[in-house]
Amino acid sequence: MDILMSQTDLGKNVYPGKIELDGSRIDFSGEGLIIRSGETRKLLSPFLDVEYIAGKAERVEKIKGFFSLYSFINAGYHIEILKGYKLDRPLIINQYSSNKRSRINEYNYIFLGEDSAATIVFDYSNEDESETIHSRVTEIQVADNAVANIIKLQRGNNSSLNLDYNTAEVYGAGEINWYTIEVGSRESISSYHTELKGYGSGGFLSSIYFVDQERDFDLNYTMELTGARSLGRIESRGVLMDKARKMFRGNLIFNTGAVRADGSEKETVLLLSPEARSETIPALYCGEEDVSGEHAASAGRISDKQLYYLMSRGLSLSEARRVLVESSLNPLIERIPLLEIREIINEEIQRRLYDE
Amino acid sequence: MAKTKQDIQEPDRLFFDLKQDIDYRNKLTWKGLNAELITEISRKKKEPAWMREFRLRSLEIYNSKPMPQWGPDLSDLDVNEIITYIDPDFKKQNSWDEVPEEIKEIFTALGIPKAEQESLAGVGAQFDSEIVYQNMRDELAKQGVIYMDMETALQEYEDIVREHFMKLVPPEDHKFAALHGAVWSGGSFVYVPEGVQVDIPLQSYFRLNAPGAGQFEHTLIIVEKGASLQFIEGCSAPKYSVNNLHAGCVELYVREGARLRYSTIENWSKNMYNLNTKRALVEKDGLIEWISGSFGSKVSMLYPMSILKGEGARAEFTGISFASKGQILDTGAKILHAAPGTTSTINSRSIARDGGKVFYRGLVKVLPEAVNSKASVSCESLMLDSHSRSDTVPVIDIRNDQVDFGHEAKVGRISEEAIYYLMSRGISEEEARALIVRGFVEPIAKEFPLEYAVELNNLLKIELEGTIG
């Protein structure tokens, strides 16, 4: 059985140290897992990404603004996976926003000890259509030989604002696999900064997004390769419809000393409307000679031929479009290790496609 | 003794470093920037009132703009310490024999008169602030081609100049465009009438000789409907211990169905701030080709921009940067797709060695009306050691869905497998490395006019000497 946790009953902002959450303390220490709710601690990293966010000064201000919110944390978990423990069930954390819980400031800290493994899902959604602001910071440390699978599913309602900042430090031959899926929120600014510090550390980020109507996504992914022979991958696939707008910033940073490090980033966008706006900055910063770095980006549309072919087989226009959207996103959706999450994503996208 | 990789030495820049001993004390030189100086430059050049006012307005804009807050650090550059104008005591000539001996010597060393005879249709040579030599083949003049220095153009073709001067790069654009507007001097004016094909290139060569001086030449080229032109720009300066500044401006108008190939080989000395602005406006079915080689300067910020205004307009950018010790070459290309069916290709290669920094910074913007456009960007960089840096930031902004866009970039090292392979064929390691570097730049080098491909190869050889050559 999955370990399911949710935080739903917070109505007011409370100060650190006084947080009372439902299921306030779950201690799985007998199993090698410790979960405490709402533990706050000094932030590990001084929000490295700000300097890598090119252009758009107002965005930087906004992000800085939400950093200052961290004196008012009212949600989040402290999770430790002890040395050698391999969590065999996914840990699923649901965070609901609602009119009673419209302002969430969440802080999560996750630690994976040596040789441990865990799959942790964060599922963010709204219970109603009220306007909410959800800002969160998640910090992860992965020790030698540990494997972290982190799945973040953002499906907020169309009037909410989502601000999401994530950092991971990977040591030794540890590995982190990020799966970020964004389909909801009126506006979403999210950032993932992974630093691969050890010899042979691995960081893999798969990003899937679907933006329609007049919604606006700002996606920032940074893979910083510091350790020798570290391996970093960023791969993003997304669909833009209507008057949607997205900014993709992919940063590959090779620090001096990252000998034989290998990094790549790849972005594919499918544009489904003449009014959609797609901005991409796939940056590559390199201070080490002996590396291999690559980035590729492409944008395209569904060709009339493809649509015609599918429709000649009896599909309606919207069905044909759905098939093409799915086939565009599927290469990444398929990688998500949990069937139920894959199903949720497909349902969300279908709902949005037919909702027009 | 075989050279090892540790033997990195400052390459010999040969004739590029020839300093001409010119007595600047007897010349009028102006340092700094103020309204009196600008009025005086304008008066000496016998400019019309609108130009004088334009200069003064640019000065105001310059004073009101902050230094760029992005890109390389410019804090070491004090524009007030730069000599903004050097009054020449000789007139422009159209025969090399009449050019003062010491100046002729330098251009001869740079191979300009020889190239003029052999492969060019016309040459302009600027020494410090003014053009010293300008000539063009008679047959071109008979076809109505105009090639002259900007000062003369302002006198003889005032209307055309007024209509186009700093319209593509307004002084409001950025601080150094405003500086250029205030103190510009020299440069070339080219007008190619409708349907005229200029098959042999024209070349302007810019030489900055005075220590601590600035060069602010203005290049204005208009290629009328169905005409074509190849234009080559070369720049160099000897090395001094004080900062020099180059803030030129290039404005290119490519009319319907016209073609323009604009090639630059820049080999400024390593005390030069090269803050140049280049822009082209391309009308229906026109083509602009930029060929750009950046080797010299201490700091370069150079991003030639192509505005694809007419349907079916095309832009091609081919560039190579090579940064060595103490250099920051922040270069790239900007393309604005503003009409349906426009096409652009950017192909950039950069090499960093011995602590040099290369930065590719580019922009491709596709406006909503530019449906059925195609854009492709390819940037590759090669790092020759680990105390150098190579960064790539290409910005892509697409605002409609009828676009085919592709981008790829790579950074890497010389692969050991390739070296082993070449060595197994009896080639020494150094030679193998040099071969691979040449192979890396080959796709770019072949775009250069032949003589310049040779010059490019020589420059590479000079630069690679001691590292891997």
Side-chain angles (χ1 to χ4, degrees):
Chain A
M1 203 186 90
D2 299 343
I3 305 170
L4 266 167
M5 300 189 292
S6 59
Q7 294 180 321
T8 49
D9 297 333
L10 280 168
K12 57 182 194 302
N13 294 335
V14 283
Y15 290 93
K18 294 180 184 171
I19 301 168
E20 293 295 325
L21 301 174
D22 57 320
S24 59
R25 188 186 171 98
I26 315 161
D27 194 340
F28 292 88
S29 48
E31 290 190 62
L33 171 69
I34 298 170
I35 301 173
R36 287 194 293 271
S37 55
E39 170 116 344
T40 62
R41 61 200 292 279
K42 198 170 172 289
L43 296 181
L44 290 170
S45 39
F47 299 105
L48 294 162
D49 275 350
V50 174
E51 60 185 291
Y52 290 108
I53 296 174
K56 299 284 178 287
E58 76 272 22
R59 280 286 152 91
V60 174
E61 284 312 306
K62 206 167 209 172
I63 292 168
K64 279 184 182 162
F66 98 87
F67 291 164
S68 67
L69 295 170
Y70 282 86
S71 43
F72 302 96
I73 289 165
N74 59 13
Y77 289 99
H78 173 107
I79 300 167
E80 275 181 55
I81 316 290
L82 302 183
K83 186 174 172 179
Y85 180 68
K86 294 194 165 53
L87 186 62
D88 54 357
R89 303 161 281 175
L91 184 62
I92 299 176
I93 298 166
N94 293 307
Q95 289 283 8
Y96 302 105
S97 305
S98 65
N99 61 349
K100 286 185 194 157
R101 201 169 175 251
S102 62
R103 187 72 181 87
I104 296 178
N105 295 327
E106 176 189 332
Y107 175 74
N108 299 300
Y109 172 72
I110 299 168
F111 176 77
L112 281 95
E114 277 172 46
D115 299 309
S116 67
T119 299
I120 300 169
V121 180
F122 291 89
D123 184 358
Y124 300 112
S125 55
N126 287 60
E127 286 186 315
D128 51 33
E129 290 306 309
S130 62
E131 213 173 289
T132 58
I133 300 176
H134 203 150
S135 56
R136 40 184 160 256
V137 168
T138 300
E139 291 186 304
I140 301 175
Q141 288 182 304
V142 182
D144 193 12
N145 264 326
V147 178
N149 293 312
I150 310 292
I151 302 169
K152 300 201 64 159
L153 176 58
Q154 185 272 105
R155 43 178 175 144
N157 67 23
N158 282 1
S159 44
S160 61
L161 170 63
N162 176 59
L163 303 161
D164 190 2
Y165 187 85
N166 303 274
T167 67
E169 288 176 349
V170 184
Y171 296 87
E175 180 184 317
I176 187 161
N177 298 295
W178 294 103
Y179 303 91
T180 144
I181 305 104
E182 301 216 38
V183 287
S185 295
R186 167 178 52 82
E187 186 178 357
S188 175
I189 302 175
S190 58
S191 174
Y192 291 76
H193 189 122
T194 307
E195 186 176 0
L196 305 174
K197 295 189 149 194
Y199 182 94
S201 300
F204 305 90
L205 185 141
S206 306
S207 134
I208 299 159
Y209 60 88
F210 180 93
V211 212
D212 58 359
Q213 301 174 22
E214 289 185 36
R215 301 188 300 131
D216 187 350
F217 280 11
D218 193 318
L219 312 165
N220 305 274
Y221 306 118
T222 302
M223 203 54 85
E224 187 172 355
L225 294 92
T226 306
R229 288 193 188 268
S230 52
L231 179 61
R233 298 266 178 275
I234 298 172
E235 198 172 342
S236 171
R237 283 179 170 265
V239 175
L240 298 184
M241 281 180 69
D242 309 327
K243 290 182 178 171
R245 188 190 154 167
K246 78 93 203 181
M247 162 63 98
F248 170 94
R249 296 184 178 93
N251 301 310
L252 269 184
I253 305 168
F254 293 96
N255 289 326
T256 308
V259 180
R260 293 288 160 108
D262 183 338
S264 74
E265 62 183 288
K266 199 176 163 195
E267 199 221 1
T268 312
V269 194
L270 182 64
L271 301 163
L272 288 184
S273 147
E275 288 169 299
R277 180 169 171 192
S278 167
E279 279 183 82
T280 299
I281 309 178
L284 213 159
Y285 301 89
C286 184
E288 168 61 48
E289 166 209 9
D290 196 357
V291 298
S292 144
E294 246 181 56
H295 56 81
S298 66
R301 52 175 160 145
I302 294 180
S303 76
D304 292 342
K305 266 189 207 156
Q306 286 170 312
L307 275 181
Y308 178 79
Y309 174 78
L310 288 169
M311 288 168 76
S312 75
R313 299 279 157 151
L315 269 65
S316 70
L317 177 64
S318 56
E319 279 169 332
R321 215 149 67 159
R322 182 184 59 96
V323 168
L324 290 165
V325 168
E326 278 180 5
S327 65
S328 167
L329 299 180
N330 260 344
L332 288 191
I333 294 178
E334 276 168 8
R335 286 189 196 168
I336 298 169
L338 298 176
L339 175 68
E340 57 198 281
I341 302 293
R342 294 200 293 268
E343 281 172 354
I344 292 175
I345 298 167
N346 284 328
E347 277 165 26
E348 280 286 334
I349 291 173
Q350 281 196 31
R351 188 176 64 77
R352 288 189 172 272
L353 272 173
Y354 289 119
D355 216 25
E356 287 178 71
Chain B
M1 196 187 83
K3 280 172 181 163
T4 64
K5 220 180 153 185
Q6 280 72 41
D7 284 332
I8 296 172
Q9 37 183 262
E10 185 66 20
D12 180 8
R13 283 167 34 93
L14 306 170
F15 45 81
F16 294 109
D17 268 338
L18 269 182
K19 286 172 198 165
Q20 267 329 4
D21 214 2
I22 287 181
D23 192 355
Y24 284 100
R25 281 169 309 176
N26 296 334
K27 292 185 184 233
L28 272 170
T29 57
W30 281 292
K31 224 178 216 190
L33 265 178
N34 54 57
E36 293 82 68
L37 163 77
I38 282 160
T39 315
E40 184 59 18
I41 293 177
S42 190
R43 191 191 61 79
K44 280 207 71 84
K45 289 176 180 284
K46 301 186 179 71
E47 287 176 353
W50 65 267
M51 182 55 90
R52 187 177 62 243
E53 272 147 34
F54 182 87
R55 286 178 184 273
L56 291 170
R57 186 168 70 84
S58 297
L59 178 68
E60 272 172 40
I61 296 166
Y62 172 81
N63 287 328
S64 69
K65 289 234 175 221
M67 289 290 265
Q69 292 304 302
W70 49 276
D73 181 18
L74 300 175
S75 57
D76 190 39
L77 173 69
D78 183 357
V79 176
N80 288 317
E81 284 301 308
I82 296 286
I83 298 166
T84 38
Y85 182 71
I86 299 168
D87 196 7
D89 48 9
F90 44 80
K91 285 204 173 76
K92 186 189 76 172
Q93 305 296 343
N94 54 13
S95 153
W96 282 109
D97 293 336
E98 287 161 37
V99 173
E101 195 57 37
E102 67 271 27
I103 292 175
K104 187 181 155 192
E105 219 168 80
I106 190 101
F107 285 110
T108 309
L110 291 165
I112 309 297
K114 186 165 174 277
E116 181 183 6
Q117 276 174 10
E118 289 171 359
S119 56
L120 297 170
V123 160
Q126 177 159 347
F127 194 79
D128 292 332
S129 293
E130 299 286 357
I131 293 276
V132 293
Y133 171 85
Q134 191 116 34
N135 196 19
M136 184 177 62
R137 292 189 184 178
D138 291 341
E139 60 264 34
L140 286 180
K142 279 179 201 144
Q143 291 178 55
V145 177
I146 303 167
Y147 178 40
M148 56 175 53
D149 62 286
M150 273 308 291
E151 278 77 7
T152 314
L154 183 57
Q155 306 298 339
E156 294 182 14
Y157 300 95
E158 189 183 334
D159 292 347
I160 302 182
V161 173
R162 191 170 183 174
E163 193 186 330
H164 298 92
F165 186 83
M166 291 200 85
K167 291 292 190 293
L168 278 185
V169 184
E172 290 83 0
D173 216 58
H174 58 87
K175 194 169 180 77
F176 292 93
L179 176 66
H180 177 89
V183 297
W184 75 270
S185 180
S188 310
F189 172 77
V190 185
Y191 180 86
V192 185
E194 191 172 330
V196 174
Q197 313 294 321
V198 183
D199 299 328
I200 316 169
L202 295 178
Q203 184 186 16
S204 284
Y205 202 95
F206 302 100
R207 176 77 182 172
L208 185 53
N209 190 65
Q215 197 166 51
F216 308 96
E217 87 288 352
H218 193 95
T219 302
L220 176 61
I221 298 179
I222 301 164
V223 186
E224 288 290 0
K225 200 170 166 182
S228 78
L229 173 70
Q230 292 186 46
F231 190 85
I232 303 166
E233 175 193 67
C235 333
S236 69
K239 185 168 178 162
Y240 294 105
S241 55
V242 290
N243 289 328
N244 279 32
L245 170 65
H246 175 237
C249 178
V250 173
E251 295 181 290
L252 311 174
Y253 292 85
V254 181
R255 306 284 196 225
E256 190 178 328
R259 300 165 69 100
L260 172 58
R261 172 179 268 234
Y262 195 91
S263 312
T264 306
I265 289 216
E266 175 271 299
N267 190 29
W268 294 115
S269 54
K270 288 168 190 173
N271 57 323
M272 178 71 86
Y273 280 86
N274 180 33
L275 311 172
N276 215 356
T277 312
K278 299 181 176 179
R279 208 159 286 174
L281 182 74
V282 190
E283 289 177 17
K284 190 169 182 247
D285 297 326
L287 168 66
I288 175 77
E289 289 175 88
W290 300 96
I291 316 284
S292 175
S294 295
F295 295 90
S297 83
K298 177 180 183 177
V299 172
S300 271
M301 289 175 83
L302 176 63
Y303 323 96
M305 180 174 188
S306 312
I307 302 165
L308 304 178
K309 188 189 166 203
E311 205 168 312
R314 287 183 294 151
E316 284 174 23
F317 176 88
T318 310
I320 177 161
S321 307
F322 192 131
S324 200
K325 191 176 181 179
Q327 289 185 281
I328 304 174
L329 301 184
D330 200 304
T331 60
K334 292 196 278 185
I335 314 268
L336 179 68
H337 289 261
T342 47
T343 311
S344 71
T345 310
I346 294 175
N347 196 350
S348 154
R349 302 276 156 116
S350 33
I351 303 175
R353 75 165 266 254
D354 200 12
K357 292 177 183 163
V358 285
F359 203 124
Y360 174 84
R361 202 186 289 275
L363 170 70
V364 173
K365 194 173 198 167
V366 183
L367 296 184
E369 54 270 35
V371 289
N372 297 321
S373 289
K374 282 184 190 158
S376 89
V377 181
S378 158
C379 322
E380 287 186 36
S381 54
L382 189 63
M383 304 259 299
L384 298 184
D385 54 58
S386 280
H387 54 289
S388 305
R389 269 205 82 84
S390 159
D391 298 332
T392 310
V393 178
V395 179
I396 299 138
D397 183 353
I398 297 177
R399 301 188 186 184
N400 78 64
D401 66 340
Q402 317 280 300
V403 174
D404 283 316
F405 175 79
H407 162 83
E408 55 180 39
K410 278 188 193 131
V411 61
R413 62 195 300 270
I414 297 175
S415 100
E416 270 170 25
E417 286 82 358
I419 289 175
Y420 286 143
Y421 174 79
L422 288 168
M423 286 171 74
S424 76
R425 299 278 156 156
I427 295 170
S428 74
E429 185 179 341
E430 289 74 24
E431 238 174 280
R433 284 178 182 274
L435 249 175
I436 291 167
V437 173
R438 277 191 212 110
F440 176 75
V441 300
E442 171 61 24
I444 309 291
K446 71 169 202 267
E447 295 297 324
F448 280 87
L450 184 64
E451 299 72 31
Y452 291 85
V454 173
E455 188 179 337
L456 183 89
N457 271 333
N458 284 339
L459 282 170
L460 272 179
K461 209 171 133 198
I462 295 170
E463 288 289 347
L464 293 172
E465 185 90 10
T467 3
I468 56 175

